Amino acid sequence: MAELHYSEEVLSALEENRPLVGLETAVVTHGLPYPTNVELAHAMENVIRQEGAVPATVGVLGGKAQIGMKEEDILLLAQDRSVIKVSRRDFARAAARKLNGGTTVAGTITALHLAGIQVFATGGIGGVHRDAPYDVSADLHTLAETPVLVVCAGAKSILDLPATLETLETLSVPVVGYQTSLFPAFYSRSSGLVLDTSVEDPEEAAALAKAHWEMGVHSAVLLTVPPPLQDALPEAEMQKAVDQALKETRKHKIHGQEVTPFLLKRVSELTGKASLTANLGLLLNNARVAAQTAVALHEHS
Ligand code: PSU
Ligand code: MN
């Protein structure tokens, strides 16, 4: 089994059996601009602490998977120009070359599950891309095989959301609306796609996840939280920017792991500050809901 490295805070939380919430670092290394990325990472950790849980920020340092990061670790990832994006298959590459890496949803939940941490907060998951011959994020297959509660604002709005939702159904990943019966669209509150399950509070979310895993199903549970009203973008405005960004992706022949960061960066530039505000607002909100759900799950077990 791979050796995991823990921060002192996470190690003592595990020993004392306190509720923990995992966080990703691809959003730091391949998402937000510096220094907003570092500030946001700390702000998410603090929201989790305020709610009575312990943050476990995951990343790869010198080729080793790290659960829980010190301030200087996050800064190092944010400033390293050769940092790689670590999805589930990339831990080996990072280890072989002793590289630093920002972990995606797939990478992060893989490490969290090994560490025995059940709750994770992120912005949006990867999924099925639009009009590409074939581009499906490893996030989806990893969600199918990793029993972690993932709190997010749906899938990233650059994706084919109906196809992503259908794939999650195929892969036996329950998609649950948090105080909504509509699938959120990351920057905006609804994609118009209807979900078959919703919960009203963290206790209900925790009970649902527990019931899922008690059936012996080893997949994730996706708890989808719409972005806060005051930060959300109108769907039409966002879709215009997405269409433009998709055109540019084809023009510049962007492929592989670069597609998602490229699209997100362009949408962010095209919509100006509004999408950045929405992104930050929803990330903090998801961290809060995740912490409350981790506390509830802890009380149930
Ligand atoms: N947030 C960003 N940029 C990113 C990601 C998040 O601002 O690149 C990461 C997420 O961690 C997500 C991943 O899991 O992108 C999906 O990338 P791909 O489609 O290559 O699997
Ligand atoms: Mn891809």
Side-chain angles (χ1 to χ4, degrees):
M1 193 73 84
E3 195 187 338
L4 297 174
H5 293 251
Y6 295 94
S7 68
E8 274 175 39
E9 184 186 23
V10 168
L11 198 58
S12 49
L14 284 169
E15 280 167 6
E16 292 160 18
N17 189 27
R18 292 169 55 201
L20 286 119
V21 175
L23 296 171
E24 64 158 288
T25 43
V27 66
V28 173
T29 60
H30 291 77
L32 301 169
Y34 181 84
T36 307
N37 53 357
V38 177
E39 289 159 12
L40 188 270
H42 293 143
M44 286 180 82
E45 291 194 338
N46 284 332
V47 164
I48 290 167
R49 292 189 188 102
Q50 277 162 20
E51 295 293 337
V54 176
T57 301
V58 172
V60 176
L61 295 174
K64 296 188 172 129
Q66 181 76 32
I67 319 273
M69 295 221 161
K70 296 194 290 270
E71 249 183 87
E72 60 257 42
D73 297 335
I74 292 175
L75 203 59
L76 180 80
L77 285 189
Q79 293 178 332
D80 179 1
R81 282 168 182 269
S82 54
V83 70
I84 65 167
K85 178 171 152 183
V86 178
S87 183
R88 186 164 61 162
R89 74 170 182 177
D90 304 301
F91 285 102
R93 176 160 64 105
R97 300 268 155 120
K98 298 192 168 47
L99 299 172
N100 295 324
T103 48
T104 66
V105 170
T108 306
I109 63 174
T110 298
L112 289 174
H113 180 54
L114 274 182
I117 298 172
Q118 285 182 307
V119 180
F120 166 62
T122 186
I125 60 162
V128 180
H129 283 262
R130 295 189 203 175
D131 68 16
Y134 186 82
D135 185 358
V136 178
S137 173
D139 285 359
L140 293 183
H141 297 88
T142 308
L143 288 166
E145 294 167 13
T146 315
V148 168
L149 182 85
V150 173
V151 181
C152 63
K156 295 191 199 301
S157 41
I158 54 171
L159 300 166
D160 183 334
L161 296 183
T164 300
L165 212 47
E166 289 292 344
T167 308
L168 287 165
E169 181 186 344
T170 305
L171 296 174
S172 301
V173 177
V175 181
V176 182
Y178 187 76
Q179 297 170 350
T180 180
S181 54
L182 297 169
F183 191 49
F186 195 52
Y187 297 124
S188 44
R189 288 180 57 89
S190 168
S191 61
L193 299 164
V194 179
L195 300 174
D196 61 12
T197 320
S198 68
V199 293
E200 285 311 309
D201 54 41
E203 283 70 30
E204 258 193 277
L208 191 146
K210 216 174 150 252
H212 179 63
W213 294 325
E214 277 172 2
M215 279 310 291
V217 189
H218 234 62
S219 56
V221 172
L222 212 61
L223 185 63
T224 62
V225 187
L229 254 181
Q230 71 271 20
D231 304 324
L233 287 185
E235 168 117 15
E237 180 186 328
M238 190 197 63
Q239 284 312 329
K240 237 178 86 189
V242 171
D243 289 340
Q244 169 70 21
L246 281 166
K247 265 193 218 145
E248 294 177 19
T249 313
R250 285 191 291 271
K251 185 171 152 220
H252 298 299
K253 300 197 166 49
I254 311 277
H255 52 82
Q257 282 193 320
E258 287 165 23
V259 174
T260 298
F262 178 85
L263 282 169
L264 288 171
K265 182 161 162 279
R266 283 304 288 145
V267 169
S268 173
E269 287 163 359
L270 290 164
T271 55
K273 251 187 126 108
S275 69
L276 186 62
T277 308
N279 204 350
L280 299 180
L282 69 88
L283 280 162
L284 283 176
N285 191 49
N286 293 349
R288 182 173 310 113
V289 173
Q292 292 166 351
T293 308
V295 170
L297 200 57
H298 187 255
E299 281 161 5
H300 271 273
S301 57

